[in-house]
């Protein structure tokens, strides 16, 4: 029990420690002068004495090395964070030195070495705190409450250091060497920032990227300034090395011509939070004659074709980013054309615009997604200033991951089936790694639709590159890391242990869950449906066939989920065991067919037979020919439910077209590629191959079940189509495959056969025409969702509309709020349409509550337009006379299809659906 002295000591420590931590602290700078190295050393020493003083104060009331010393340091930390939003790391170090100098010096030395190696404050802090806490707990963990106090202190410091890192002046003491990273060397995105790492990668690949250096957390700014030696003939520009950690847009600061200007820009422009979490990129800036921003594909369906769009201005890039000037716009790849009717006084050479457009398209090919490129032209050469992925105009779709599974186009029924089942299966897998919150009790009866992950263009299947990248970033992976799953999983153990063990449990439970589903659900349902479909004497009714289709649809989604799980698990196991798959393995059905072909080869002569008819006519005359035909029948019984392209329901299965199998056998025997001697597809010996073989066999079982579901679904749909043919709804049974799955489920007797026939003819004609075109594009980009109409068609006639340009598409009706002076914005209310010269960053906090924005100038690629597209906020730019014509309080309609601003009469009867 605590004595009365200790009770008073507890109160004194818990009051004095926060007070001392909050108010005993040296300033970051004296006036405009930065603290020198001597001043920084004095501050360091004062912090050490402060921490040691807290421990000495605690020892006046409690025994030495008691947990109350750690609690006193914790109170000091909380006081410092309350007033200065800093982590009093050095003061804690001084207190721990007095608390246990042996452990602190030993572990601290190891930690500081690690801090220098990491070159990242966050990772170095976590390393030091973990080591010291673990060592102290091991030594003093037998004291009551010590473990709790140690974990509380280290956890609080770690949290504060991630929220408000200490000033870099303190950390630079631990890294006195003037070694700076540059864009000429490969950079790690986690350490240098995504933007700088991207520029570094492009520079290694030979792209024209400006030279640049990085001022990392803890680097010596004075040493860098001495190294760069800026002068009037060689100015610099600075910006953060990545935009992601920042809570605001980062505009580059240009034309910094001397050391004082460069130092002031770095110290006064970027917040301490920005400086602690990433680096500052400093680039040598040429004398820009023209500057521009090029999108590798124009947003918002700017034109019918998706060519690059460029905005360009004379001189510097900053006005383009801010949006306070109206740029020239050029659209096109090989022959860019100036957009607009007014011819500007100065026009850049078209060769520069063409080069920028072609460079942007090369960047898109390099990174696999559309890119935004900032550039400048110095009179001799075009230089890349910055590159970012475009993520503000909707989904990005790619063929890269589906071209093997879905090599051919699908008819509408098969496409809709694959989209529904595929998206549901992918959502099931994603939910394992990113669990969704449980719905409220009132929402339990609502079925949430899976996210859109698959689409079809010209019949070909596309996967959402946007959603897949977002998912992989969530689980701390990337598409580039997937081929090296060993390293990726090892990193996940260190950075995301909960995620790793969730995957491990998922991996180990896959086979058991699969076996249970096969025994309890999949096999019984498939057997029942197969038996009912095989009964010819008593055909099923439309209602029974509809139930079969619904069951098979649901079952197929379950089987596909197991199949995708198995593919991921098999690939991961191969990577972890370092087993490469050099050649494509021979499937079981092909192995069985090759054995039949070998038996025929041993039975018949090898010469004189060239066609399928000759082969099987000769085989029928042989005494043992009947045995071959029986083997083919058994093969069809085992594998006849499959087909050359199983996901295409309109394609016949092998059981329905035995001639295909006979032709296959003929090609194996007498085709250009003769039958090989090895038909077993044997694996290499070893325990690893045996372990993987069992996984492959289970995956083969799942795949066979999936093909069985698809075959039974095809036959059930054809049976439904036979009923519709009898009542005159369809001309032939195969016409059903030109409908979508939802249309099949909703079709009823009242459907007009003539309209249905016209729909089928139209889809057949479009499909056949598209198949005659060249290969599908590898990348397809869709714009924003369908524009909502904001006003009824019965609205009264309006005045002549004002013409502008659509920056963010959506339709809206609301009252105008004019803002001519950006420094003093008016009281902005909800549901207003804000009218400004351009979107200044002081107005960004008000954007979520607005109904729309109109600007008198600016460009499509300015920071305001980008933010409006991200917020799905209607925005029309370049309406020159908007502030002169429109009055505050006037009702407006933004027509984002045409870029018109319509002035509505006050007594207009409208319906606002925005």
């Amino acid at each position: 029990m605590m004595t009365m002295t200790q009770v008073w000591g507890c109160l004194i420590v818990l009051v004095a420690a926060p007070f001392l931590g909050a108010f005993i602290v040296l300033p970051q700078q004296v006036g405009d002068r930065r603290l020198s190295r001597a001043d920084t050393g004095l501050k360091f020493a004062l912090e050490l004495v402060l921490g040691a003083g807290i421990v000495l104060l605690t020892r006046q009331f409690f025994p030495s090395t008691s947990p109350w010393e750690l609690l006193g340091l914790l109170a000091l930390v909380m006081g410092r964070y309350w007033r200065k939003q800093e982590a009093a790391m050095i003061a804690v170090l001084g207190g721990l030195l007095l608390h246990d100098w042996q452990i602190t010096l030993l572990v601290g030395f190891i930690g500081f070495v690690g801090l220098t190696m990491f070159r990242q404050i966050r990772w170095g802090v976590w390393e030091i705190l973990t080591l010291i806490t673990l060592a102290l707990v091991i030594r003093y963990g037998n004291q009551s409450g010590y473990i709790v106090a140690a974990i509380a202190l280290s956890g609080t410091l770690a949290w504060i250091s991630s929220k408000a890192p200490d000033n870099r002046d303190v950390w630079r003491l631990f890294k006195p060497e003037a070694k700076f990273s540059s864009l000429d060397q490969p950079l790690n995105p986690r350490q240098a920032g995504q933007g700088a790492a991207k520029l570094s990668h492009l520079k290694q690949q030979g792209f024209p990227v400006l030279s640049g250096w990085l001022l990392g957390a803890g680097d010596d700014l004075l040493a860098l300034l001495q190294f760069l030696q800026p002068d009037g003939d060689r100015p610099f520009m600075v910006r953060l090395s990545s935009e992601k950690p920042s809570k605001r847009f980062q505009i580059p600061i240009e034309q910094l011509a001397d050391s004082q200007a460069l130092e002031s820009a770095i110290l006064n422009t970027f917040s301490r939070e920005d400086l602690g979490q990433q680096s500052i990129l400093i680039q040598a800036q040429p004398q820009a004659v023209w500057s521009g921003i090029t999108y590798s594909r124009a947003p918002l369906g700017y034109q019918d074709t998706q060519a690059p769009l460029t905005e360009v201005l004379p001189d510097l890039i900053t006005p383009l980013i801010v949006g306070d000037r109206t740029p020239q716009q050029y659209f096109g790849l090989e022959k860019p054309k100036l957009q607009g009717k007014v011819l500007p006084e100065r026009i850049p050479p078209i060769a520069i615009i063409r080069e920028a457009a072609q460079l942007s398209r090369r960047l898109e090919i390099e990174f696999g997604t559309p890119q935004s490129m900032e550039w400048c032209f110095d009179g001799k050469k075009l230089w890349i200033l910055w590159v970012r992925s475009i993520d503000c105009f909707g989904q990005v779709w790619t063929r890269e991951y589906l071209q093997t599974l879905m090599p051919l186009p699908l008819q509408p029924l098969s496409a809709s089936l694959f989209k529904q089942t595929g998206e549901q299966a992918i959502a099931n897998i994603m939910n394992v790694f990113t669990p969704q919150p449980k719905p409220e009790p009132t929402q339990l009866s609502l079925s949430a639709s899976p996210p859109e992950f698959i689409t079809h263009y010209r019949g070909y299947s596309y996967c959402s590159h946007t959603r897949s990248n977002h998912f992989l970033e969530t689980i701390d992976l990337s598409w580039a890391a997937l081929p090296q799953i060993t390293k990726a999983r090892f990193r996940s153990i260190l950075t995301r242990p909960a995620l790793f063990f969730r995957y491990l449990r998922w991996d180990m439970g896959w086979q058991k869950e699969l076996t249970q589903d096969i025994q309890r659900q999949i096999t019984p349902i498939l057997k029942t449906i197969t038996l009912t479909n095989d009964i010819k004497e008593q055909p099923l009714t439309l209602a029974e066939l509809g139930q079969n289709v619904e069951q098979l649809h649901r079952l197929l989604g379950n089987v596909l989920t197991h199949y995708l799980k198995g593919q991921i698990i098999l690939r991961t196991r191969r990577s972890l065991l370092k087993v490469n798959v050099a050649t494509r393995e021979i499937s079981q059905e092909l192995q069985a067919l090759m054995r039949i072909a070998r038996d025929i080869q041993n039975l018949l002569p090898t010469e004189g037979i060239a066609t399928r008819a000759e082969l099987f006519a000769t085989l029928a005359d042989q005494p043992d020919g009947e045995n071959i035909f029986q083997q083919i029948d058994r093969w069809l019984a085992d594998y006849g439910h499959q087909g050359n392209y199983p996901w295409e329901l309109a394609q016949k299965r092998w059981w329905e077209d035995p001639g295909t199998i006979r032709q296959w056998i003929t090609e194996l025997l007498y085709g250009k590629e003769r039958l090989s001697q090895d038909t077993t597809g044997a694996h290499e010996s070893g325990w690893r191959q045996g372990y993987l073989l069992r996984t492959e066999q289970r995956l083969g079982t799942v795949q066979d079940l999936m093909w069985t579901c698809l075959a039974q679904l095809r036959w059930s749909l054809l049976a439904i189509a036979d009923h519709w043919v009898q009542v005159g709804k369809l001309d032939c049974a195969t016409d059903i495959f030109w409908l979508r799955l939802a249309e099949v489920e909703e079709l009823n007797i009242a459907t007009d056969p003539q309209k249905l026939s016209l729909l089928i003819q139209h889809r057949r004609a479009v499909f056949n025409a598209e198949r005659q075109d060249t290969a599908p594009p590898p990348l397809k980009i869709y714009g924003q969702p369908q524009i909502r109409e904001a006003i009824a068609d019965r609205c009264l006639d309006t005045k002549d509309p004002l013409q502008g340009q659509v920056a963010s598409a959506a339709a809206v009706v609301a009252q105008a709020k004019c803002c001519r002076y950006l420094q003093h914005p008016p009281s902005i209310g909800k549901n207003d349409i804000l009218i400004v010269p351009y979107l200044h960053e002081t107005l960004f906090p008000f954007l979520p509550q607005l109904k729309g924005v109109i600007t008198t100038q600016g460009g499509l690629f300015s920071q305001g337009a980008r933010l409006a597209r991200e917020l799905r906020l209607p925005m029309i730019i370049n309406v020159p006379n908007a502030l002169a014509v429109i009055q505050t309080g006037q009702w407006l309609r933004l027509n984002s299809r045409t870029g018109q601003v319509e002035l509505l009469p006050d007594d207009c009867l409208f319906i606002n659906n925005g």
Side-chain angles (χ1 to χ4, degrees), residues 459-602:
Y460 288 93
S461 303
Y462 286 80
C463 174
S464 171
H465 194 284
T466 305
R467 291 193 182 278
S468 59
N469 270 351
H470 176 71
F471 167 66
L472 290 170
E473 289 174 0
T474 301
I475 63 174
D476 202 19
L477 289 180
S478 64
W479 283 117
L482 286 184
Q484 301 175 341
I485 295 179
T486 306
K487 296 180 181 179
R489 292 302 173 203
F490 179 72
R491 187 172 71 243
S492 293
I493 296 176
L494 299 178
T495 61
R496 305 286 295 277
L499 173 69
F500 172 78
F501 288 111
R502 194 182 305 150
Y503 170 81
L504 189 63
R505 185 172 65 251
W506 184 67
D507 185 316
M508 297 176 64
W510 171 68
Q511 185 167 339
K512 180 180 178 181
E513 181 183 355
L514 173 62
T515 303
Q516 290 178 351
D517 275 2
I518 290 176
Q519 293 176 350
R520 299 175 183 178
Q521 181 183 13
I522 300 174
T523 302
I525 293 177
L526 281 179
K527 282 185 177 180
T528 303
I529 293 177
T530 303
L531 289 174
T532 55
N533 282 340
D534 289 342
I535 299 175
K536 305 299 183 182
E537 294 79 9
Q538 297 179 348
L540 298 177
T541 64
L542 271 177
E544 293 172 334
L545 289 170
Q547 290 179 358
N548 284 356
V549 170
E550 184 179 351
Q551 280 187 312
L552 287 168
H553 184 197
R554 187 165 52 249
L555 197 64
L556 181 62
N558 189 15
V559 175
L560 183 59
T561 300
H562 285 299
Y563 179 76
L564 293 180
K565 284 183 181 180
Q567 287 285 2
I568 295 172
I569 290 170
L570 178 61
R571 183 173 181 177
T572 305
R573 290 176 178 178
R574 281 174 177 165
S575 178
L576 292 174
L577 296 176
K578 298 182 179 179
V579 176
N580 296 322
V581 184
T583 58
R584 185 178 179 182
E585 299 174 0
I586 301 176
S587 60
Q588 293 181 355
E589 60 271 17
L590 181 55
Q591 291 182 32
L593 203 63
M594 293 174 74
R595 287 193 290 269
I596 296 175
R598 184 171 299 283
D599 290 343
I600 297 175
Q601 189 179 52
N602 295 331

Side-chain angles (χ1 to χ4, degrees), residues 203-237:
K203 199 170 179 62
Q204 310 302 314
Q205 300 299 317
F207 285 84
V209 177
L210 284 177
S211 299
W213 297 266
L214 293 174
L215 182 67
D219 287 335
D220 193 332
L221 174 58
L222 295 180
L224 179 60
L225 294 175
Q226 293 175 2
F227 170 74
L228 295 177
Q229 295 182 349
D231 54 50
D233 295 332
R234 192 181 65 165
F236 289 86
M237 62 183 297

Side-chain angles (χ1 to χ4, degrees), residues 245-512:
S246 178
K247 296 180 180 179
R248 60 186 177 89
F249 284 91
Q250 294 298 333
I251 303 172
I253 306 173
E254 302 186 276
Q255 295 295 303
L256 301 172
D258 53 57
S259 297
Q260 183 177 1
L262 186 57
E263 180 182 7
S264 176
I266 293 175
L267 293 178
N268 299 329
T269 305
F270 305 104
S271 67
R272 285 176 41 248
E273 179 181 356
D274 292 334
L275 297 182
Q277 293 190 0
Q278 58 183 324
S279 303
I280 294 177
L281 176 62
I282 304 162
Q283 290 177 282
Q285 186 176 16
Q287 187 64 39
V289 179
W290 293 95
S291 297
I293 301 177
T294 301
Y295 271 32
S296 63
R297 292 175 187 258
L300 310 175
Y302 186 80
Q303 296 280 3
D304 294 336
T305 58
Q306 294 176 3
L309 181 64
T310 298
E311 293 188 337
V312 61
L313 279 175
D315 303 327
L316 303 179
I317 191 72
T318 304
L320 271 175
I321 300 176
V322 174
D324 59 355
R325 290 171 61 186
T326 301
Q328 302 175 35
Q329 291 182 350
Y330 291 83
F331 180 78
L333 181 61
E334 298 298 334
K335 297 180 179 179
K337 294 183 178 180
L338 177 64
Q339 305 298 297
K341 299 179 180 179
V342 180
L343 192 65
E345 296 181 359
R346 288 184 58 191
I347 298 179
I350 295 300
I352 301 175
I353 307 300
R354 184 188 306 113
E355 183 181 358
Q358 293 173 347
L359 262 179
S360 70
R361 189 54 60 88
R362 285 177 57 194
L363 293 175
E364 178 180 297
I365 296 173
E366 180 73 23
F367 295 108
T369 58
Q371 302 292 312
S372 167
M373 180 184 74
E374 298 175 14
W375 54 271
C376 71
F377 178 69
D378 62 359
K380 297 180 179 179
K381 186 175 181 179
L382 187 146
W383 295 97
I384 296 177
L385 303 178
W386 193 255
V387 175
R388 67 170 62 85
S389 296
I390 303 173
D391 54 2
C392 59
F393 58 44
Q395 298 263 10
V396 177
W397 304 92
T398 176
R399 283 276 295 159
E400 184 175 356
Y401 314 111
L402 289 178
Q403 58 189 1
T404 301
L405 181 62
M406 298 290 168
L408 300 175
L410 295 172
Q411 290 183 208
L413 184 57
S414 304
S416 59
L417 172 69
F418 177 66
K419 175 178 172 62
Q420 289 185 25
T421 55
E423 287 180 345
Q424 187 60 60
I426 294 171
N428 292 339
I429 293 174
M430 286 185 171
N431 289 340
V432 174
F433 299 101
T434 55
Q436 302 298 321
K438 294 183 178 181
E440 299 295 332
T442 56
Q443 300 176 339
L444 291 178
S445 59
L446 301 178
S447 57
S449 59
E452 188 176 15
F453 203 92
I454 296 171
T455 192
H456 288 83
Y457 175 67
R458 289 168 43 187
Y460 288 93
S461 303
Y462 286 80
C463 174
S464 171
H465 194 284
T466 305
R467 291 193 182 278
S468 59
N469 270 351
H470 176 71
F471 167 66
L472 290 170
E473 289 174 0
T474 301
I475 63 174
D476 202 19
L477 289 180
S478 64
W479 283 117
L482 286 184
Q484 301 175 341
I485 295 179
T486 306
K487 296 180 181 179
R489 292 302 173 203
F490 179 72
R491 187 172 71 243
S492 293
I493 296 176
L494 299 178
T495 61
R496 305 286 295 277
L499 173 69
F500 172 78
F501 288 111
R502 194 182 305 150
Y503 170 81
L504 189 63
R505 185 172 65 251
W506 184 67
D507 185 316
M508 297 176 64
W510 171 68
Q511 185 167 339
K512 180 180 178 181

